[in-house]
Amino acid sequence: MPNPLFDALLAPHRGSHAPFIIHPDGQVVSYGEFLNNVARAAHALSACGLKPGDRLALQAEKSVSVLEIYGASLLIGAIFLPLNTAYTDSEVDYFLDDAKPGLFICDPERQSGLSASAAGQGTRILTISAMGRGSFTDLATGMPAKATPAERGGDDIAALLYTSGTTGRSKGAMLTQDNLLSNARVLQGSWDITAGDRLLHALPLYHTHGLFVAVNTTLVAGASMIFLTGFKLELALAALPEATTMMGVPTFYTRLLEDDRFTADLVRKMRLFISGSAPLLAETHKAFEARTGHRILERYGMTETGMNTSNPYDGERRAGSVGFPLPEIDIRITDGDGGTGVEPGQVGMIEVRGPNVFKGYWGMPEKTREELRENGYFITGDLGHRDADGYLHIVGRNKDLIISGGYNVYPKEIELVLDDAGWVKESAVIGVPHPDFGEGVVAVVVPMPEGTPDLPGLKAAAAGRLAKYKQPKAIILVDDLPRNTMGKVQKNVLRDTYADQFAQKAI
Ligand code: MCA
Ligand code: AMP
């Protein structure tokens, strides 16, 4: 029975002795062993009553077991919904309520905090720890190592990835089998990934970058991954000499550059460094080339679309640019509203069309209509222009978005939490340059005239409701927010005023 994604990514590796995962201690998991565990996990999911089209939510520390569950989800035709481990219980409640998964797999330590809301949705909970132990593992262990994939079509949804919105409400992007498969193939071809490659994998597994860009391209090529549970400098430095490719957010690259042990000799086997998820400063690109002789290949993508553009593998990789549209993908620059094209070289809204573009937002047809045109173009919210040679440059966003260390933070979500404090009249959350994370979150807060500011209380309230990376790294009290004649808060003025809030380093 056809199941395009499983057939392309996983089925060819059954029984293979080729290495798939290489742990930092040298332990290797072969493709064949991995596939056996995928089958066991698939039986466990089915035993929990999951059927094709049902959602499978997962919030678990990075481990090979998480990848097995992802593979198992593809095998049984479920919709995989991975969640950032930093999300608080109240953030997770929202996703469970919205997606109504049949099964939620979480860390044993999180189970008690999440049981009530899962029960309210009729969602069963099983557990898996960072070490791969828990009630899910117990169930899967005794299962057969072979399973028959469920029949699926290219238009069936394979994954639901939540992305925050300008209103503060997260939207679930429905990604089909064809979306994921076309992007994996296009990237593998464009970056020349082969079975001989060994990727340094230090990204989280709950976002497009670490899961679909990194893992799907590895699977489709039959390559291997040096599997780090996160980007820790010492581990990365130790693993780099054996890696041939690396994918990272710009913070990975600036952190490496800050260490004198990171040299051209250390990366002598490296073929390709790839960066994305946030802008890579031209200075970083240049400093990296000066240190290693490698020009980082920058590419541009989104949760809703996977990867859209890439600098060339063969050809000039231009600092400050995200390159050209990938094969089969159309990019146009418009006025945004009516979709009329702008003059060549002018800045406008970047719109994307192709087999990579998602099917819509889960349960939000109106939002889908606002952002996905009938002619298939998705309105990205990113502003850019093409230079004389056709390279795309992203120059800004017309969406109120902060990208901190590769994670997206929507100010509205933070402002809603801050405004809930009794003494806060209003707040404005902005992103300003941060030496490590690219942008850092700053909250500018106006107290009520009669209110008594309580900053520790405000920080505690934010900590209780928001993932750590969303919490303001600075809170500034002011009497008034700057407004234009229409009464709209001028965030550009705030960004200028607090631009030096986090002192800059050289790189
Ligand atoms: C950790 N912290 C952060 C971040 N990460 N704060 C702001 N932004 C962050 N990204 C907090 C920690 O909780 C800690 O708080 C303090 O900041 C410093 O932590 P540190 O130890 O430095 O953090 P880390 O564990 O080393 O993590 C930094 C990281 C990580 C490695 C850069 O954030 C990361 O892996 N980012 C990658 C995100 C990613 O995969 N994005 C792809 C999205 P305290 O000290 O107070 O305890 S997919 C996407 O965007 C599209 C599709 C695309 O194009 O790829
Ligand atoms: P997300 O919604 O988490 O998938 O984040 C997608 C957003 O990240 C895009 O809309 C861009 O604003 C940003 N982004 C991704 N890659 C790049 C890049 N190479 N340069 C600048 N911004 C990027």
Side-chain angles (χ1 to χ4, degrees):
M1 285 192 284
N3 180 327
L5 205 47
F6 185 86
D7 296 346
L9 299 188
L10 291 157
H13 305 300
R14 277 199 194 101
S16 163
H17 296 293
F20 174 41
I21 304 280
I22 301 159
H23 289 287
D25 65 2
Q27 247 192 310
V28 175
V29 180
S30 72
Y31 268 104
E33 288 170 68
F34 179 73
L35 262 290
N36 289 346
N37 284 338
V38 166
R40 292 188 180 101
H43 284 293
L45 297 180
S46 299
C48 293
L50 277 194
K51 294 182 295 306
D54 287 347
R55 275 75 59 214
L56 161 61
L58 175 139
Q59 187 192 37
E61 295 300 328
K62 184 175 176 181
S63 71
V64 179
S65 308
V66 168
L67 287 180
E68 290 164 359
I69 294 169
Y70 166 57
S73 179
L74 298 181
L75 194 154
I76 68 157
I79 298 176
F80 191 58
L81 193 183
L83 293 168
N84 192 323
T85 47
Y87 290 150
T88 60
D89 291 356
S90 70
E91 287 170 309
V92 174
D93 282 351
Y94 171 83
F95 301 116
L96 298 184
D97 180 45
D98 196 58
K100 310 227 171 347
L103 176 65
F104 175 44
I105 302 176
C106 68
D107 194 278
E109 287 182 13
R110 298 293 298 270
Q111 187 175 9
S112 61
L114 294 163
S115 293
S117 90
Q121 308 306 328
T123 300
R124 181 168 178 183
I125 296 199
L126 290 178
T127 60
I128 194 146
S129 72
M131 304 305 292
R133 298 200 192 95
S135 51
F136 181 78
T137 321
D138 294 342
L139 183 61
T141 304
M143 294 290 182
K146 277 199 182 122
T148 307
E151 185 171 351
R152 295 269 87 188
D155 199 40
D156 285 323
I157 304 164
L160 190 59
L161 257 59
Y162 276 83
T163 155
S164 316
T166 40
T167 57
R169 237 187 117 205
S170 289
K171 303 166 286 185
M174 298 186 282
L175 297 159
T176 66
Q177 291 229 341
D178 279 347
N179 294 152
L180 301 182
L181 186 51
S182 68
N183 220 231
R185 286 189 166 138
V186 153
L187 294 176
Q188 185 222 338
S190 300
W191 298 338
D192 207 14
I193 302 173
T194 68
D197 272 315
R198 197 174 270 202
L199 170 76
L200 178 60
H201 194 301
L203 288 157
L205 291 173
Y206 37 70
H207 285 306
T208 294
H209 197 165
L211 189 59
F212 302 140
V213 184
V215 174
N216 285 1
T217 54
T218 299
L219 288 169
V220 86
S224 54
M225 306 194 283
I226 305 176
F227 196 71
L228 306 187
T229 52
F231 186 82
K232 294 296 163 222
L233 193 62
E234 293 302 319
L235 289 177
L237 289 171
L240 274 167
E242 293 307 319
T244 66
T245 55
M246 173 173 158
M247 296 183 191
V249 297
T251 300
F252 289 14
Y253 294 111
T254 51
R255 286 188 180 182
L256 285 172
L257 280 172
E258 275 162 27
D259 197 296
D260 291 340
R261 292 170 294 172
F262 181 64
T263 59
D265 186 51
L266 191 83
V267 296
R268 56 195 171 274
K269 290 195 187 162
M270 189 60 80
R271 183 175 69 76
L272 181 62
F273 288 100
I274 302 170
S275 176
S277 305
L280 181 77
L281 296 180
E283 296 94 285
T284 310
H285 192 277
K286 287 174 189 149
F288 202 88
E289 184 179 13
R291 178 85 68 90
T292 64
H294 285 272
R295 288 176 81 91
I296 299 174
L297 180 151
E298 186 171 8
R299 62 27 168 213
Y300 157 59
M302 294 187 75
T303 301
E304 288 92 335
T305 62
M307 299 304 102
N308 300 315
T309 72
S310 169
N311 268 278
Y313 178 63
D314 292 313
E316 186 196 340
R317 299 179 198 154
R318 199 164 277 189
S321 154
V322 292
F324 303 103
L326 285 158
E328 301 167 39
I329 296 170
D330 299 320
I331 297 273
R332 65 178 195 174
I333 316 262
T334 73
D335 64 356
D337 299 335
T340 314
V342 298
E343 293 294 312
Q346 295 288 301
V347 171
M349 172 65 69
I350 302 173
E351 301 194 10
V352 185
R353 181 170 71 179
N356 55 320
V357 174
F358 76 140
K359 199 171 176 167
Y361 295 113
W362 178 260
M364 295 185 182
E366 278 175 27
K367 275 272 160 221
T368 305
R369 273 194 294 277
E370 276 170 29
E371 298 186 27
L372 193 54
R373 297 185 191 277
E374 274 180 10
N375 62 7
Y377 273 102
F378 175 66
I379 306 166
T380 62
D382 293 311
L383 302 175
H385 68 89
R386 282 200 176 104
D387 67 22
D389 300 319
Y391 284 80
L392 182 68
H393 296 253
I394 298 175
V395 297
R397 308 167 194 134
N398 92 332
K399 49 190 176 188
D400 197 9
L401 163 70
I402 301 166
I403 305 184
S404 173
Y407 287 134
N408 288 10
V409 181
Y410 274 89
K412 190 76 194 169
E413 188 184 354
I414 323 302
E415 289 160 3
L416 289 172
V417 170
L418 301 177
D419 293 352
D420 267 356
W423 60 271
V424 172
K425 182 175 164 215
E426 60 177 346
S427 62
V429 168
I430 52 168
V432 301
H434 188 285
D436 188 27
F437 294 126
E439 288 185 296
V441 177
V442 172
V444 185
V445 174
V446 181
M448 300 274 195
E450 69 285 4
T452 308
D454 169 17
L455 285 184
L458 195 60
K459 285 181 188 157
R465 288 170 58 184
L466 299 168
K468 182 97 206 182
Y469 68 89
K470 299 180 192 170
Q471 295 168 29
K473 296 209 184 290
I475 301 179
I476 294 157
L477 296 179
V478 295
D479 292 336
D480 291 297
L481 295 174
R483 292 181 189 276
N484 63 15
T485 47
M486 309 291 288
K488 193 168 184 293
V489 175
Q490 290 171 303
K491 288 205 169 174
N492 53 332
V493 173
L494 291 175
R495 279 190 285 267
D496 289 344
T497 308
Y498 300 107
D500 293 330
Q501 185 65 31
F502 308 111
Q504 284 289 292
K505 286 186 215 156
I507 291 161

